[in-house]
Amino acid sequence: MTDGRPISDYGLLGDTRTAALVGSDGAMDWLCVPRFDGDPLFGRLVGGRDAGTFRVGPARPATVVERRYRRHTATLETTWAVGGGRLRLTEAMVAEVSGRLLPTTLIVRRLSAEQAAVDAVVEFDPRLGVRHRRPRVHHRRQALVCEWGAVAVALDSTPAFRIEPGRPTSIRVQPGRPVTVVLAVAHHEPVIHVEPTAAWDVLMQDEARWRAWTAEIDERLPFREHVARSLLTLRLLTYSPSGAPVAAPTTSLPEDPGGERNWDYRYVWPRDASIGVSAFLSVGKAAEARGFLAWLLHASRLQRPRLPALLTLHGRRVPAERELPGWPGYLDSRPVRVGNDAAGQHQLDGYGWVVDAAWAFAQAGHRLPAETWRAVRGFADVVARCWQEPDAGIWEVRKPGQHVHSKLMGWLALDRALAIADTHPLSERQRRRWQESRDALAAEVRTRGFDEAAASYMRGYGSQDLDAALLVLPLLDMDRADSPRVRGTVDAIRDRLSAGGPLLYRYPPGQDGLPGTEGAFLPCSFWLVQALARTGRRGEAVELFQSMVDLASPLGLYAEELNPATGAHLGNYPQTLTHAALIQAALAIRDAPTPG
Amino acid sequence: MDWAGWALFGLVATAALTAAMITAQLAGLTRLDFPLVLGAFVAEDPDRARVFGFLLHLCIGQGFALGYAATFALLHRATWWIGAVLGIVHVGLALTVILPLLPGVHPRMASQRAGPASTAVLEPPGLFAVNYGIQTPVVTVVVHVVYGALLGLLLQPR
């Protein structure tokens, strides 16, 4: 178990293939291999004491005096005050290993002492998979090697000391004589040992690459440091071999602690990923956007023209949802699940996000390859044909309905597809069909989705509920951003879905057919920032953004939800959608006219 | 050896194999796209890559057809079923050796080792090319058996 440690206590280490979560005590309680959606090697976060951990830190309880990412890098630094001295853990995963004889996953953790010698401990207890399998253990030269058939890990250290899995090893760290521990993971290949000092040098080269990558972000961007951290987080969560951004690196971190709203997010939602594409494009990172579109094109081929709600990192069908027996869950939040049944849902809004991302790509001056355009045409055809059908919507509710947000996004898909068609080939018949559907869709939403009394668009046809996803309205151009309908909707959502301070519920709590409660939905607050900026209220947007920044984890990371009463982060962590929304909110503030 | 038959029927069999693969791809049975995978060696744009890839595929098909023709000449016999058996050997080699090794030489194919600096865009096929859809091995075996059987029918054993 995680001893009640808040989710926000964890920092993210990543190598763009998988990711680890490390607590402020130096415990790596989550790492799946060889990919984000692989088997957990350290699963204590949701798997209990038998699920494995890898702690490097002070031998006794100590006070954290500083915890931060080294500026514009993915390297995490934790400093504890211990007795008369200080102990610092500097750690990261090496992201760029292609073209060199290095393990695909390489984790480097270095302990250094200041002022006085400090007692530290290394607890290495790897267990693999659902059943927390113990490894076959060998000591080879100075390294410890643990094997489970196709997976093997090697632990090397400098200075060399003997480590036994599952048994804490005490070491004394002298000032000026750091201790470096290196974990190499092999999957279907031989273990590659890396001398720890050499591994540290490799890590420093990686740091330089991240700094260069971040330096390309516009210097004048408001909240640039927060945007840079979010961009880095998005990049760390993008699976390099396919270019697919994973929604989050974890499964079953609860939206309702102690409850059953625990889902597996280690997959790719084309919708969320498209928001990330637009974010990357807006800061000039076209390669990442191109990578995602290429992945989407390839991944969706087997289901085309239907767009699946979610896919695996390689574009395969997401496994059916199943529960892991014996896994206690984070804060007893059971069941712990792997797989995700939302994969089979019809979500009309997904088409809008994806076509909008393609449009943004084309807008940025890139011509869509013919095949991408063919795929986009297929998506638009589906929308033109199916927009009247009920769907599960952005919030993936179990019972399909006529969601206004889905219809708006359907409108967006057709509108943006028509805009792309201005510079790409399209038959006149197809153009006419899209135009007719788009206009019919707008007319229907305006009549059936708008409540005159509330002066707002509503969650569904005939519904009295609001939906915070409608905050995207000012971005769509279906109604003018300064129209009473748009402003009325934004104001109504802000007023009636408020969870206190800058926080919003995505819809009236408890309206999704599941037992238990949930927190405020963080992307919605950033969408509100964006909506305010787009509707000419820049000052309020800046103020709101600042309040949201104050709610981030100490390392600048966000989950999906937040408990409005306690400020605790809820749900899988860190969350791509929240970070993408943060970037887009900052960009909207940048683009909003300054009053005066 | 039947040189004239090799020159003509090699092309016919490769074109048939490619057409069958593309049909399977359009039917949503597989994502394996030989012209794209091969063409991406020389061109980044998928559309141009497919053109180059198709030509490359014809050349490679001719190369394999040479092996079939030589085998028929050695056996002094050419039948559709010997061709089909050779097709199975051929596809076995392709699925277990050639395709899994591609990420090592392909400039635009990812591998698990890809990092942020990677420019890879194509997903690696993996063993039996199952990364391109679970039915890919079946489709690939069928089209290669057709290729072999066609050559067995059309080539002469001299």
Side-chain angles (χ1 to χ4, degrees):
Chain A
M1 282 274 257
T2 50
D3 307 321
R5 179 182 307 170
I7 290 170
S8 57
D9 185 63
Y10 285 97
L12 173 79
L13 304 182
D15 64 1
T16 76
R17 290 171 288 275
T18 186
L21 292 186
V22 185
S24 62
D25 62 349
M28 187 176 285
D29 286 337
W30 187 251
L31 172 69
C32 292
V33 292
R35 299 185 307 256
F36 294 107
D37 60 354
D39 280 337
L41 183 68
F42 307 120
R44 194 169 284 189
L45 181 69
V46 290
R49 297 209 76 80
D50 293 336
T53 188
F54 177 23
R55 187 167 97 80
V56 177
R60 285 175 290 280
T63 311
V64 177
V65 290
E66 189 185 24
R67 195 152 187 248
R68 62 175 188 124
Y69 281 106
R70 281 152 77 123
R71 190 164 186 264
H72 294 176
T73 74
T75 308
L76 188 58
E77 225 174 52
T78 309
T79 309
W80 297 273
V82 188
R86 286 186 172 209
L87 183 69
R88 176 171 296 152
L89 172 64
T90 309
E91 56 188 333
M93 293 168 81
V94 176
E96 190 52 70
V97 299
S98 52
R100 288 185 288 178
L101 186 61
L102 288 172
T104 316
T105 290
L106 179 63
I107 300 172
V108 186
R109 313 184 82 185
R110 171 173 276 191
L111 281 171
S112 51
E114 292 167 9
Q115 295 158 7
V118 177
D119 289 328
V121 71
V122 175
E123 183 189 354
F124 182 65
D125 187 16
R127 308 288 184 91
L128 193 73
V130 170
R131 298 205 177 114
H132 316 317
R133 282 188 290 145
R134 290 175 190 274
R136 287 178 58 201
V137 178
H138 315 270
H139 287 277
R140 290 182 191 149
R141 295 185 305 157
Q142 295 174 357
L144 165 73
V145 177
C146 299
E147 285 182 311
W148 300 259
V151 174
V153 297
L155 195 69
D156 290 72
S157 62
T158 293
F161 54 92
R162 192 176 174 92
I163 297 171
E164 294 292 340
R167 209 173 294 161
T169 305
S170 298
I171 47 173
R172 193 161 180 79
V173 186
Q174 302 286 349
R177 295 177 61 192
V179 174
T180 308
V181 183
V182 170
L183 180 71
V185 180
H187 183 245
H188 285 302
E189 62 181 10
V191 168
I192 299 171
H193 291 278
V194 188
E195 200 279 314
T197 312
W200 181 258
D201 292 341
V202 169
L203 192 68
M204 292 301 104
Q205 292 164 19
D206 231 36
E207 272 203 355
R209 256 186 295 272
W210 283 126
R211 284 204 184 93
W213 188 84
T214 322
E216 293 167 6
I217 303 167
D218 184 359
E219 286 288 343
R220 297 154 300 168
L221 199 63
F223 301 99
R224 184 173 186 270
E225 290 305 303
H226 303 282
V227 172
R229 178 54 48 202
S230 286
L231 277 168
L232 259 167
T233 306
L234 285 192
R235 188 61 192 85
L236 288 176
L237 296 179
T238 300
Y239 182 63
S240 280
S242 67
V246 70
T250 55
T251 177
S252 300
L253 284 179
E255 293 169 12
D256 175 23
E260 63 173 72
R261 293 162 188 263
N262 319 311
W263 316 110
D264 191 352
Y265 271 36
R266 300 170 301 155
Y267 305 111
V268 188
W269 271 254
R271 168 210 305 133
D272 301 4
S274 304
I275 300 171
V277 165
S278 304
F280 276 127
L281 268 176
S282 306
V283 295
K285 300 274 181 202
E288 282 75 9
R290 187 181 291 113
F292 168 73
L293 286 174
W295 170 83
L296 184 70
L297 190 71
H298 188 71
S300 61
R301 181 180 283 284
L302 293 180
Q303 289 95 342
R304 220 180 280 166
R306 198 179 75 79
L307 178 68
L310 60 155
L311 290 156
T312 69
L313 298 163
H314 275 308
R316 286 185 238 171
R317 196 175 172 77
V318 168
E321 207 167 271
R322 67 191 173 99
E323 298 175 358
L324 302 186
W327 285 55
Y330 177 87
L331 293 179
D332 294 324
S333 309
R334 279 184 291 269
V336 172
R337 294 183 172 96
V338 292
N340 198 313
D341 281 346
Q345 290 184 346
H346 167 51
Q347 298 178 9
L348 185 66
D349 69 294
Y351 296 89
W353 294 110
V354 167
V355 176
D356 191 51
W359 176 74
F361 190 72
Q363 277 281 97
H366 309 281
R367 189 171 175 80
L368 297 179
E371 196 181 343
T372 309
W373 175 224
R374 203 156 39 242
V376 169
R377 286 203 310 261
F379 295 150
D381 282 338
V382 170
V383 174
R385 200 169 55 241
C386 303
W387 66 268
Q388 284 158 312
E389 293 173 13
D391 78 325
I394 184 172
W395 307 127
E396 304 178 342
V397 293
R398 305 269 162 127
K399 194 177 165 205
Q402 298 286 3
H403 298 104
V404 173
H405 173 262
S406 296
K407 306 296 182 200
L408 288 173
M409 297 308 287
W411 179 91
L412 182 72
L414 293 168
D415 186 71
R416 298 302 190 252
L418 283 162
I420 301 171
D422 289 343
T423 51
H424 292 69
L426 182 72
S427 74
E428 205 41 53
R429 211 172 114 253
Q430 218 167 1
R431 181 190 297 272
R432 224 175 15 254
R433 195 166 63 235
W434 292 358
Q435 277 169 341
E436 284 166 6
S437 297
R438 180 188 62 174
D439 296 344
L441 222 164
E444 181 172 297
V445 170
R446 286 194 181 109
T447 51
R448 299 184 65 191
F450 191 82
D451 182 337
E452 296 290 346
S456 170
Y457 285 100
M458 306 307 283
R459 187 177 177 195
Y461 292 167
S463 166
Q464 292 303 302
D465 292 338
L466 287 165
D467 181 353
L470 294 170
L471 287 168
V472 298
L473 202 56
L475 317 178
L476 309 188
D477 304 325
M478 190 183 88
D479 290 324
R480 287 165 51 96
D482 59 356
S483 70
R485 281 175 174 254
V486 171
R487 288 184 75 113
T489 303
V490 172
D491 289 341
I493 290 169
R494 195 181 190 186
D495 182 38
R496 285 173 50 189
L497 291 181
S498 171
L503 298 173
L504 292 176
Y505 292 111
R506 47 183 162 173
Y507 40 71
Q511 300 267 337
D512 56 4
L514 290 171
T517 60
E518 61 175 311
F521 203 80
L522 294 173
C524 296
S525 293
F526 288 114
W527 290 342
L528 178 58
V529 172
Q530 205 175 358
L532 290 172
R534 293 280 187 142
T535 50
R537 290 177 274 182
R538 188 179 190 277
E540 289 173 71
V542 170
E543 200 179 306
L544 191 66
F545 195 106
Q546 184 58 58
S547 310
M548 286 304 295
V549 162
D550 295 340
L551 294 173
S553 81
L555 291 166
L557 303 176
Y558 294 88
E560 187 175 55
E561 297 185 13
L562 201 82
N563 181 326
T566 64
H569 285 250
L570 303 171
N572 288 304
Y573 173 89
Q575 180 85 213
T576 295
L577 181 61
T578 314
H579 283 279
L582 179 150
I583 297 163
Q584 291 204 306
L587 292 164
I589 290 173
R590 179 193 65 182
D591 298 338
T594 315
Chain B
M1 204 167 102
D2 180 10
W3 289 104
W6 164 74
L8 178 63
F9 300 132
L11 282 179
V12 169
T14 309
L17 182 155
T18 313
M21 273 311 287
I22 291 172
T23 306
Q25 198 191 332
L26 292 177
L29 297 174
T30 178
R31 290 198 311 256
L32 178 56
D33 185 335
F34 277 134
L36 177 66
V37 168
L38 293 172
F41 266 100
V42 289
E44 191 169 4
D45 174 3
D47 301 319
R48 287 165 59 83
R50 277 207 183 82
V51 177
F52 292 127
F54 179 70
L55 296 174
L56 270 171
H57 196 219
L58 286 184
C59 295
I60 292 168
Q62 279 303 84
F64 275 105
L66 192 62
Y68 283 71
T71 309
F72 295 142
L74 281 173
L75 295 174
H76 303 293
R77 216 172 155 200
T79 65
W80 69 267
W81 63 267
I82 295 177
V85 169
L86 290 178
I88 289 173
V89 175
H90 174 180
V91 75
L93 195 71
L95 289 175
T96 58
V97 180
I98 299 172
L99 285 172
L101 286 182
L102 268 186
V105 291
H106 200 300
R108 294 184 184 87
M109 182 171 280
S111 79
Q112 297 297 102
R113 308 176 60 76
S118 162
T119 52
V121 293
L122 287 174
E123 171 190 1
L127 189 64
F128 298 115
V130 287
N131 288 355
Y132 293 161
I134 197 73
Q135 298 175 104
T136 301
V138 178
V139 171
T140 317
V141 167
V142 169
V143 298
H144 280 82
V145 167
V146 168
Y147 171 85
L150 268 178
L151 286 176
L153 271 177
L154 298 171
L155 289 178
Q156 297 299 312
R158 54 183 160 78

